[in-house]
Amino acid sequence: MSEAYSEKKIKSILKKEIYGWKKWEVGWLAVATAVIVGVSVYWKDSAIGIFAALTGIWCVILTGKGKLSSFWVGTINTILYAIVAWKARYWGEVMLNLIYYVPMNFVGMYMWSKNMNSQTEEVEKKRLSPKGSVFAYLSVIVATLGYGLVLKKLNGTLPFVDAMSTIFSVFAQFLCVKRYMEQWILWIVVDVVTVIMWVYAFLHGTGDMATVLMWSIYLINAIIMFVKWFKDSKNSDQSVEANNV
């Protein structure tokens, strides 16, 4: 009885994760995967670098889609990516992934599970208030400068760039867990900065092309998902207003 229930539960979860995908979303997932595999094999990247890149792009696309499975895939990715970042001496990235992202994946899974739309099987999206946005962005800038000084004393690679990537990521992940559309604005900045970091690492022999590609795809995905979440959060706000009339 217990096994039958478990099997039924698993099928129900998988059905929810598969439900509601549009053709362009499936196509984007397939193209991103093919690009990572193809170019990584061509450049003879490490297996761990390739798997870190694959789980990374699957995670961000699932996050943009608003699926709970993004947190399971994300947990695997954070561990693999931390190993890649360790080899490149990006200490901020290592600490960010192991100390922050791993536990936040489980927090996010719980928070999102309480706010899923039963019709779309996607998480409900929302927006920050104007005052909330200003406060969040100012906090990010101050924290980045402070953490950059710490990493500089640790003799890290590109300390202030590393700090910017790390701090923006911390705030973006928090907004992600809280389901705010503004997370994607921060992710766009994070992705631009981190692409620069990994191009630098690749040119100096401490990084691989799979990681550069992963972050490049993250950037494209962040722009796409910003548009999606902007529209979805706007529709959600209008629905709330309609229900309050």
Side-chain angles (χ1 to χ4, degrees), residues 90-105:
Y90 285 134
W91 311 133
E93 293 288 282
V94 174
M95 290 185 281
L96 171 67
N97 279 267
L98 295 182
I99 299 174
Y100 183 68
Y101 277 164
V102 170
M104 281 297 282
N105 275 322

